[in-house]
Amino acid sequence: MNKLILPLFIFIGIPFFMVQAAEIKYQKSEDKSYSLYLIRHAEQKTDQDDPGLTQCGKFRAKQLASILEYAKVTKIYSTRYQRTIETAAPLAQQQKLAIKNYAPNKLEQLAWQLMKEKENAVVFGHSNTTPQLAELISHTSVLPMTEKQYRGIYQISFSNKNPQLTLLMQPLVCK
């Protein structure tokens, strides 16, 4: 009788165990934790159509790279404007990542893509798009930014699919 039970267990039990292991693995991938960082470009020059950064803006961009150095960022997004690209550049160089461009008039598409990818990412945007994107992703009301606000870093953390929005403030204040 024992000789019959062991092969029966192996025949029935192992496939059952494999199905259970596959379900556990699937659940873990669904529960992946990650963070998105949404940042307005740094201080810009005012004398051009597509201005670059001021000295203070360049310093802020370097400081952002230092702040996010250990955030395990795997993707960096920016609009095609010089000021956002220059703000993203120090972090991209530090992390050895390419800057991916996105269209600021297609924020819903970008939000969907970021939530689908489930990776730590940084998005550099503008005073009118960054709060809007934070609202789309976090499903939380976000106050608009003024033209003078450059210090905010919106961190949206996902754990078990629930977004948690935190507004962090960069310490640099330019005068």
Side-chain angles (χ1 to χ4, degrees), residues 28-38 72-78 97-98 100-102 108-123 133 137 158:
K28 285 184 180 178
S29 69
E30 286 293 311
D31 296 341
K32 182 177 178 183
S33 296
Y34 63 100
S35 290
L36 303 174
Y37 301 90
L38 313 180
K72 298 180 182 176
V73 173
T74 59
K75 293 195 175 158
I76 299 173
Y77 295 89
S78 171
L97 294 171
K100 299 173 181 276
N101 293 123
Y102 72 93
E108 292 86 3
Q109 182 180 349
L110 178 62
W112 179 83
Q113 179 181 343
L114 292 166
M115 291 186 291
K116 183 180 174 217
E117 291 173 343
K118 298 181 182 180
E119 295 181 38
N120 294 340
V122 182
V123 180
L133 184 60
I137 295 171
F158 287 84

Side-chain angles (χ1 to χ4, degrees), residues 37-46 51 53 57 60-61 64 68 77-79 83-88 102 122-134 144-154 167-168 170:
Y37 301 90
L38 313 180
I39 301 169
R40 181 195 179 186
H41 63 79
E43 289 84 346
Q44 66 189 14
K45 295 177 184 174
T46 56
L53 299 180
R60 182 176 304 284
L64 283 165
L68 296 171
Y77 295 89
S78 171
T79 62
R83 58 193 175 270
T84 52
I85 293 169
E86 286 183 16
T87 307
Y102 72 93
V122 182
V123 180
F124 291 92
H126 304 272
S127 61
N128 61 333
T129 61
T130 302
Q132 186 181 356
L133 184 60
M145 281 184 167
T146 69
E147 286 297 315
K148 303 262 184 213
Q149 291 176 306
Y150 294 98
R151 297 177 55 212
I153 302 170
Y154 294 100
L167 177 59
L168 307 169
Q170 193 173 358

